[in-house]
Structures are given as C-alpha cells and as structure tokens.
Amino acid sequence: MKQKVLFVCLGNICRSPSAEAVFNALIEKEGFSEKFDVDSAGISGWHQGEPADRRMQQHAQKRGYNLTSISRPVTAKDFDEFDYIIAMDQANLRDLKDRARKPEHLKKIFLMTDFLTNPTHSEVPDPYYGGNQGFELVLDLLEDSTQNFLRFIQQK
Ligand code: 4NP
C-alpha cells in the first residue's frame, strides 16, 4: 500500500508546495515514487486555487524543482486519508493538533524540522514577508529534513 504524505504550511503557496516538490524529487531520485502519494495543503484557504508564490517558484527552479501544486486548505478528511501530516512551523503544528478529532490523527502529525540532521531550527520560517534569504533557507531546511524523514518512514 502507498504511504500518503501531506505537507502543511499556512498559505500552501511557499513552504508546503516546496516540501512536496523537494520530497517528490528525492523519492524519484531514489526510485521510490511508486510507493508514495504526496500532497500539500494550507491551514488557511486564503490562497485557494492559486499556484505557488512566484518568488518561491523562482528560487525552487534554480535548484531544479518545479512547483506545480495549486493551493488548497486542509480538510477534515485529510486526517483520515494521510499517513503522515507534516507541519512547517509551530503554529501549523498547533493548528493541526487542534483539528485532529481522534487519537490516531494526532499520531500522524509531525514537525518538519524534527527531521533536521542538526537541530539548528525549530521551524521552517515563513518566507512570505521577507527577502531572498528566507526562500533559500526554506529550501535548505527542506533538502536536509526530507532526507531524514524518508529514512524515518522506511524504518517503520
Ligand atoms: P506559506 O507562506 O505558509 O509558506 O505558504 C505564506 C503565504 C501567504 C501568507 C502567509 C504565509 N499570507 O499571509 O497570505
């Protein structure tokens, strides 16, 4: 059976679409694409129907990632359907836990930065109101943490 992974941030136009693309590139490279269903969603529906933020797309493109996702909000059904729900920051984590309706939902929720090789950051900071460095940091953190996240899933 496929492992279903949902990456979640606030707007689903910067961090979680990037996490989706970085993780997809990783499992493609390692030959595990068929074993996963990967998606992303936002705590908010503010940008529903929109493609990823232009700036995020440009930074991702420079590293070879194509951001294809269209923003959608997290739904109640997501908590039943996905095996892993990965929050980008502490607020996302809290919001997801608040929305979990069953103990097994809570067990699916993780924080992206908990998978960093070195605990340099306790969240993937929101890049929306900042400059170029913020977008680069998002990609740096995701490239590292998604690798350890994949190892974590494989050990289960
Ligand atoms: P994201 O970034 O959560 O990484 O997609 C944001 C996008 C939009 C807003 C905030 C964060 N916003 O306030 O509209």
Side-chain angles (χ1 to χ4, degrees):
M1 227 175 54
K2 288 199 185 197
Q3 300 276 6
K4 298 193 58 144
V5 178
L6 183 68
F7 294 104
V8 175
C9 63
L10 180 59
N12 192 212
I13 54 169
C14 296
R15 293 165 291 174
S16 59
S18 299
E20 182 183 350
V22 170
F23 189 70
N24 271 328
L26 175 65
I27 58 177
E28 170 81 23
K29 188 179 92 187
E30 300 208 358
F32 299 126
S33 290
E34 266 72 76
K35 296 197 181 314
F36 289 95
D37 273 338
V38 186
D39 197 4
S40 65
I43 293 294
S44 79
W46 300 335
H47 295 276
Q48 184 160 12
E50 294 176 22
D53 183 281
R54 274 301 303 148
R55 299 163 296 169
M56 191 74 251
Q57 284 201 44
Q58 283 165 357
H59 285 272
Q61 197 69 59
K62 279 195 290 176
R63 300 193 193 195
Y65 306 113
N66 204 4
L67 303 192
T68 54
S69 80
I70 300 296
S71 179
R72 70 161 180 94
V74 172
T75 66
K77 210 169 113 191
D78 288 330
F79 290 89
D80 295 314
E81 295 215 324
F82 286 89
D83 302 301
Y84 298 94
I85 302 174
I86 314 298
M88 293 297 127
D89 68 26
Q90 299 286 345
N92 307 152
L93 184 68
R94 226 171 21 245
D95 289 336
L96 286 169
K97 286 180 175 173
D98 284 349
R99 293 184 193 194
R101 306 175 317 282
K102 299 176 186 170
E104 58 254 46
H105 293 165
L106 282 173
K107 290 191 207 148
K108 301 176 173 186
I109 303 170
F110 296 87
L111 184 64
M112 188 83 260
T113 46
D114 282 347
F115 298 100
L116 283 172
T117 305
N118 299 305
T120 54
H121 292 75
S122 58
E123 54 183 14
V124 180
D126 182 349
Y128 194 68
Y129 293 105
N132 289 333
Q133 271 183 328
F135 294 96
E136 289 298 317
L137 177 61
V138 166
L139 294 165
D140 288 341
L141 294 173
L142 291 175
E143 284 180 339
D144 180 64
S145 56
T146 50
Q147 298 208 29
N148 297 313
F149 173 55
L150 177 59
R151 298 288 161 292
F152 170 78
I153 298 175
Q154 287 173 327
Q155 280 161 18
K156 290 215 134 196

